[in-house]
């Protein structure tokens, strides 16, 4: 599968107010995520490394003990097994990259 039309995929709810379309390879998962304003992702961790790039909006992100508001073009890097959370201060669109693959997201 070399080419994917994301607009042909239906959005999957990954958490209340968090909706994603996915691309999975053998090594990574990429999630294209739309987040409704005011929605909060509670603290959690997972074995995958994660990189979150804000395409639009303002996302308050906490990684470990550090909190920052990310805006368009800013990136948050989450190491494996580190507790993190987020809150959309405005409607947001972000791209999350996970390594290794998020097998749980393949089941959505």
């Amino acid at each position: 599968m070399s080419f994917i039309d994301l607009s042909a995929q239906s959005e999957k709810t990954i958490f209340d107010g968090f909706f994603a379309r996915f691309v999975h390879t053998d090594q990574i998962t990429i999630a294209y995520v739309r987040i409704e304003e005011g929605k909060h992702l509670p603290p959690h961790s997972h074995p995958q490394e994660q990189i979150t790039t804000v395409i639009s909006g303002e996302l308050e992100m906490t990684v470990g003990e550090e909190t920052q508001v990310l805006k368009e073009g800013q990136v948050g890097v989450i190491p494996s097994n580190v507790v993190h959370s987020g809150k959309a201060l405005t409607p947001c669109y972000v791209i999350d990259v996970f390594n290794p693959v998020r097998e749980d997201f393949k089941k959505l």
Side-chain angles (χ1 to χ4, degrees):
M1 176 182 328
S2 297
F3 303 99
I4 298 166
D5 180 358
L6 288 175
S7 67
Q9 289 186 16
S10 60
E11 288 184 323
K12 308 293 184 189
T13 301
I14 55 176
F15 199 78
D16 179 41
F18 288 70
F19 309 95
R21 292 180 169 99
F22 299 100
V23 175
H24 304 281
T25 70
D26 292 338
Q27 303 298 317
I28 62 173
T29 292
I30 302 174
Y32 300 83
V33 185
R34 180 177 60 84
I35 311 168
E36 294 176 341
E37 182 175 356
K39 294 300 182 174
H40 184 263
L41 187 65
H44 68 286
S45 65
H46 42 72
Q48 293 86 359
E49 295 177 307
Q50 178 179 343
I51 298 171
T52 298
T53 303
V54 176
I55 304 303
S56 65
E58 293 185 11
L59 178 67
E60 180 180 271
M61 179 178 274
T62 300
V63 179
E65 300 297 319
E66 185 178 355
T67 300
Q68 185 168 334
V69 174
L70 300 178
K71 298 177 182 178
E72 181 179 330
Q74 294 183 307
V75 177
V77 177
I78 305 163
S80 175
N81 296 309
V82 170
V83 175
H84 56 285
S85 62
K87 180 179 180 182
L89 302 178
T90 67
C92 293
Y93 187 70
V94 305
I95 299 174
D96 288 330
V97 178
F98 299 92
N99 181 40
V101 171
R102 289 289 303 254
E103 295 294 337
D104 55 333
F105 286 168
K106 283 184 174 181
K107 298 173 185 174
L108 294 177

